Amino acid sequence: MAVITPYAQFLFKFVSDAPEYVYIFSDSFPKSTMHNLLIQAVLFGSKNVSVRFARRTDVMPPIPMETKHHPSSVDLLLIKRLIAETSKQNLLQFLQHEFVNINKSYAERLIGEEKQ
């Protein structure tokens, strides 16, 4: 799980439905360090896991601003909706106001190409 929001808090729980182990202790086990670590892991471990990812900050980011549409990402339906909702009186103002990266000279060029 990738946590990319430092202002969020997550509780991850995994509850296993597998049966618990039956532990049998015998003196025949080798007394190595690895064996002791494995026994401790089996004794103190559990199949159920619960991890809490704490909030790292209480400062919320600013509310995102609405951006204009990029000309390459619009289709005919969106253009019709934008035309119906705009308050601009002509095509030049509409292109400049509703789309990102369209300045007056570029809008005039687009309109000029359309007329030809």
Side-chain angles (χ1 to χ4, degrees), residues 61-82:
I63 296 172
M65 295 174 50
E66 186 175 348
T67 60
K68 297 177 183 180
H69 297 282
H70 192 275
S72 66
S73 68
V74 296
D75 60 2
L76 187 58
L77 293 174
L78 180 58
I79 290 175
K80 285 181 178 180
R81 189 187 64 144
L82 291 174

mmCIF file of all heavy atoms in Angstrom, residues 61-82:
data_model
loop_
_atom_site.group_PDB
_atom_site.id
_atom_site.type_symbol
_atom_site.label_atom_id
_atom_site.label_comp_id
_atom_site.label_asym_id
_atom_site.label_seq_id
_atom_site.Cartn_x
_atom_site.Cartn_y
_atom_site.Cartn_z
ATOM 1 N N PRO A 61 -3.725 20.611 2.418
ATOM 2 C CA PRO A 61 -3.309 21.393 1.247
ATOM 3 C C PRO A 61 -4.432 22.329 0.812
ATOM 4 O O PRO A 61 -5.602 22.101 1.148
ATOM 5 C CB PRO A 61 -3.049 20.320 0.187
ATOM 6 C CG PRO A 61 -3.892 19.164 0.601
ATOM 7 C CD PRO A 61 -3.933 19.204 2.099
ATOM 8 N N PRO A 62 -4.093 23.352 0.054
ATOM 9 C CA PRO A 62 -5.148 24.262 -0.411
ATOM 10 C C PRO A 62 -6.095 23.542 -1.370
ATOM 11 O O PRO A 62 -5.718 22.570 -2.025
ATOM 12 C CB PRO A 62 -4.385 25.375 -1.124
ATOM 13 C CG PRO A 62 -3.055 24.790 -1.446
ATOM 14 C CD PRO A 62 -2.773 23.758 -0.403
ATOM 15 N N ILE A 63 -7.314 24.036 -1.449
ATOM 16 C CA ILE A 63 -8.307 23.458 -2.347
ATOM 17 C C ILE A 63 -7.836 23.672 -3.777
ATOM 18 O O ILE A 63 -7.443 24.777 -4.141
ATOM 19 C CB ILE A 63 -9.682 24.104 -2.111
ATOM 20 C CG1 ILE A 63 -10.160 23.788 -0.699
ATOM 21 C CG2 ILE A 63 -10.691 23.632 -3.144
ATOM 22 C CD1 ILE A 63 -11.417 24.525 -0.306
ATOM 23 N N PRO A 64 -7.860 22.625 -4.599
ATOM 24 C CA PRO A 64 -7.383 22.797 -5.975
ATOM 25 C C PRO A 64 -8.277 23.729 -6.770
ATOM 26 O O PRO A 64 -9.485 23.775 -6.571
ATOM 27 C CB PRO A 64 -7.421 21.376 -6.549
ATOM 28 C CG PRO A 64 -8.246 20.578 -5.629
ATOM 29 C CD PRO A 64 -8.275 21.271 -4.317
ATOM 30 N N MET A 65 -7.636 24.453 -7.666
ATOM 31 C CA MET A 65 -8.383 25.366 -8.521
ATOM 32 C C MET A 65 -8.815 24.623 -9.786
ATOM 33 O O MET A 65 -8.115 23.744 -10.265
ATOM 34 C CB MET A 65 -7.494 26.555 -8.906
ATOM 35 C CG MET A 65 -7.114 27.420 -7.730
ATOM 36 S SD MET A 65 -5.940 28.724 -8.146
ATOM 37 C CE MET A 65 -6.680 29.478 -9.556
ATOM 38 N N GLU A 66 -9.976 25.018 -10.290
ATOM 39 C CA GLU A 66 -10.449 24.435 -11.537
ATOM 40 C C GLU A 66 -9.603 24.972 -12.686
ATOM 41 O O GLU A 66 -9.311 26.160 -12.756
ATOM 42 C CB GLU A 66 -11.914 24.791 -11.764
ATOM 43 C CG GLU A 66 -12.511 24.111 -12.955
ATOM 44 C CD GLU A 66 -13.993 24.382 -13.098
ATOM 45 O OE1 GLU A 66 -14.604 24.911 -12.151
ATOM 46 O OE2 GLU A 66 -14.532 24.078 -14.172
ATOM 47 N N THR A 67 -9.194 24.095 -13.559
ATOM 48 C CA THR A 67 -8.370 24.506 -14.689
ATOM 49 C C THR A 67 -9.192 24.529 -15.970
ATOM 50 O O THR A 67 -10.237 23.887 -16.060
ATOM 51 C CB THR A 67 -7.177 23.555 -14.878
ATOM 52 O OG1 THR A 67 -7.675 22.240 -15.126
ATOM 53 C CG2 THR A 67 -6.282 23.545 -13.668
ATOM 54 N N LYS A 68 -8.681 25.244 -16.926
ATOM 55 C CA LYS A 68 -9.340 25.298 -18.221
ATOM 56 C C LYS A 68 -9.035 24.022 -19.005
ATOM 57 O O LYS A 68 -8.069 23.316 -18.715
ATOM 58 C CB LYS A 68 -8.847 26.513 -19.001
ATOM 59 C CG LYS A 68 -9.169 27.837 -18.355
ATOM 60 C CD LYS A 68 -8.578 28.965 -19.178
ATOM 61 C CE LYS A 68 -8.829 30.302 -18.518
ATOM 62 N NZ LYS A 68 -8.257 31.400 -19.303
ATOM 63 N N HIS A 69 -9.827 23.767 -20.000
ATOM 64 C CA HIS A 69 -9.627 22.587 -20.832
ATOM 65 C C HIS A 69 -8.481 22.814 -21.808
ATOM 66 O O HIS A 69 -8.288 23.916 -22.305
ATOM 67 C CB HIS A 69 -10.904 22.272 -21.629
ATOM 68 C CG HIS A 69 -12.060 21.936 -20.753
ATOM 69 N ND1 HIS A 69 -12.205 20.706 -20.166
ATOM 70 C CD2 HIS A 69 -13.120 22.673 -20.342
ATOM 71 C CE1 HIS A 69 -13.310 20.697 -19.447
ATOM 72 N NE2 HIS A 69 -13.884 21.884 -19.528
ATOM 73 N N HIS A 70 -7.749 21.742 -22.077
ATOM 74 C CA HIS A 70 -6.725 21.808 -23.108
ATOM 75 C C HIS A 70 -7.398 21.522 -24.443
ATOM 76 O O HIS A 70 -8.244 20.631 -24.533
ATOM 77 C CB HIS A 70 -5.618 20.788 -22.841
ATOM 78 C CG HIS A 70 -4.419 20.997 -23.696
ATOM 79 N ND1 HIS A 70 -4.318 20.485 -24.965
ATOM 80 C CD2 HIS A 70 -3.275 21.688 -23.462
ATOM 81 C CE1 HIS A 70 -3.160 20.841 -25.486
ATOM 82 N NE2 HIS A 70 -2.509 21.565 -24.597
ATOM 83 N N PRO A 71 -7.047 22.259 -25.490
ATOM 84 C CA PRO A 71 -7.732 22.082 -26.774
ATOM 85 C C PRO A 71 -7.669 20.656 -27.326
ATOM 86 O O PRO A 71 -8.591 20.211 -28.000
ATOM 87 C CB PRO A 71 -6.994 23.050 -27.709
ATOM 88 C CG PRO A 71 -6.370 24.050 -26.822
ATOM 89 C CD PRO A 71 -6.091 23.352 -25.535
ATOM 90 N N SER A 72 -6.616 19.928 -27.022
ATOM 91 C CA SER A 72 -6.507 18.566 -27.565
ATOM 92 C C SER A 72 -7.347 17.554 -26.792
ATOM 93 O O SER A 72 -7.470 16.412 -27.210
ATOM 94 C CB SER A 72 -5.043 18.122 -27.572
ATOM 95 O OG SER A 72 -4.578 17.998 -26.249
ATOM 96 N N SER A 73 -7.912 17.963 -25.676
ATOM 97 C CA SER A 73 -8.654 17.006 -24.853
ATOM 98 C C SER A 73 -10.165 17.190 -24.913
ATOM 99 O O SER A 73 -10.879 16.585 -24.111
ATOM 100 C CB SER A 73 -8.193 17.109 -23.401
ATOM 101 O OG SER A 73 -8.587 18.359 -22.867
ATOM 102 N N VAL A 74 -10.651 17.996 -25.826
ATOM 103 C CA VAL A 74 -12.096 18.235 -25.895
ATOM 104 C C VAL A 74 -12.705 17.489 -27.074
ATOM 105 O O VAL A 74 -12.038 17.204 -28.063
ATOM 106 C CB VAL A 74 -12.427 19.745 -26.007
ATOM 107 C CG1 VAL A 74 -11.985 20.471 -24.767
ATOM 108 C CG2 VAL A 74 -11.798 20.352 -27.235
ATOM 109 N N ASP A 75 -13.972 17.166 -26.937
ATOM 110 C CA ASP A 75 -14.713 16.560 -28.028
ATOM 111 C C ASP A 75 -15.894 17.468 -28.368
ATOM 112 O O ASP A 75 -16.104 18.514 -27.751
ATOM 113 C CB ASP A 75 -15.168 15.139 -27.686
ATOM 114 C CG ASP A 75 -16.062 15.101 -26.463
ATOM 115 O OD1 ASP A 75 -16.361 16.165 -25.899
ATOM 116 O OD2 ASP A 75 -16.485 13.993 -26.078
ATOM 117 N N LEU A 76 -16.663 17.072 -29.341
ATOM 118 C CA LEU A 76 -17.758 17.914 -29.823
ATOM 119 C C LEU A 76 -18.812 18.169 -28.744
ATOM 120 O O LEU A 76 -19.321 19.282 -28.608
ATOM 121 C CB LEU A 76 -18.400 17.282 -31.058
ATOM 122 C CG LEU A 76 -19.454 18.110 -31.772
ATOM 123 C CD1 LEU A 76 -18.892 19.443 -32.215
ATOM 124 C CD2 LEU A 76 -20.017 17.349 -32.950
ATOM 125 N N LEU A 77 -19.119 17.146 -27.952
ATOM 126 C CA LEU A 77 -20.120 17.320 -26.887
ATOM 127 C C LEU A 77 -19.670 18.343 -25.848
ATOM 128 O O LEU A 77 -20.460 19.165 -25.389
ATOM 129 C CB LEU A 77 -20.419 15.982 -26.218
ATOM 130 C CG LEU A 77 -21.130 14.943 -27.080
ATOM 131 C CD1 LEU A 77 -21.228 13.610 -26.349
ATOM 132 C CD2 LEU A 77 -22.501 15.446 -27.476
ATOM 133 N N LEU A 78 -18.399 18.293 -25.485
ATOM 134 C CA LEU A 78 -17.880 19.247 -24.503
ATOM 135 C C LEU A 78 -17.870 20.658 -25.082
ATOM 136 O O LEU A 78 -18.217 21.624 -24.393
ATOM 137 C CB LEU A 78 -16.478 18.851 -24.048
ATOM 138 C CG LEU A 78 -15.825 19.760 -23.017
ATOM 139 C CD1 LEU A 78 -16.677 19.855 -21.758
ATOM 140 C CD2 LEU A 78 -14.435 19.297 -22.685
ATOM 141 N N ILE A 79 -17.492 20.801 -26.340
ATOM 142 C CA ILE A 79 -17.499 22.123 -26.964
ATOM 143 C C ILE A 79 -18.925 22.682 -27.003
ATOM 144 O O ILE A 79 -19.148 23.861 -26.702
ATOM 145 C CB ILE A 79 -16.887 22.067 -28.381
ATOM 146 C CG1 ILE A 79 -15.380 21.820 -28.268
ATOM 147 C CG2 ILE A 79 -17.139 23.359 -29.140
ATOM 148 C CD1 ILE A 79 -14.674 21.624 -29.574
ATOM 149 N N LYS A 80 -19.905 21.860 -27.326
ATOM 150 C CA LYS A 80 -21.302 22.318 -27.336
ATOM 151 C C LYS A 80 -21.740 22.772 -25.944
ATOM 152 O O LYS A 80 -22.406 23.800 -25.791
ATOM 153 C CB LYS A 80 -22.228 21.204 -27.828
ATOM 154 C CG LYS A 80 -22.162 20.972 -29.311
ATOM 155 C CD LYS A 80 -23.132 19.865 -29.704
ATOM 156 C CE LYS A 80 -23.128 19.625 -31.194
ATOM 157 N NZ LYS A 80 -24.070 18.566 -31.585
ATOM 158 N N ARG A 81 -21.345 22.018 -24.923
ATOM 159 C CA ARG A 81 -21.704 22.402 -23.552
ATOM 160 C C ARG A 81 -21.027 23.705 -23.148
ATOM 161 O O ARG A 81 -21.636 24.581 -22.535
ATOM 162 C CB ARG A 81 -21.324 21.289 -22.574
ATOM 163 C CG ARG A 81 -21.870 21.534 -21.168
ATOM 164 C CD ARG A 81 -21.344 20.531 -20.234
ATOM 165 N NE ARG A 81 -19.889 20.748 -20.179
ATOM 166 C CZ ARG A 81 -19.153 20.614 -19.099
ATOM 167 N NH1 ARG A 81 -19.694 20.213 -17.995
ATOM 168 N NH2 ARG A 81 -17.869 20.838 -19.106
ATOM 169 N N LEU A 82 -19.744 23.841 -23.496
ATOM 170 C CA LEU A 82 -19.022 25.078 -23.166
ATOM 171 C C LEU A 82 -19.643 26.282 -23.866
ATOM 172 O O LEU A 82 -19.747 27.361 -23.277
ATOM 173 C CB LEU A 82 -17.542 24.942 -23.536
ATOM 174 C CG LEU A 82 -16.720 23.965 -22.690
ATOM 175 C CD1 LEU A 82 -15.319 23.816 -23.270
ATOM 176 C CD2 LEU A 82 -16.668 24.389 -21.246
#
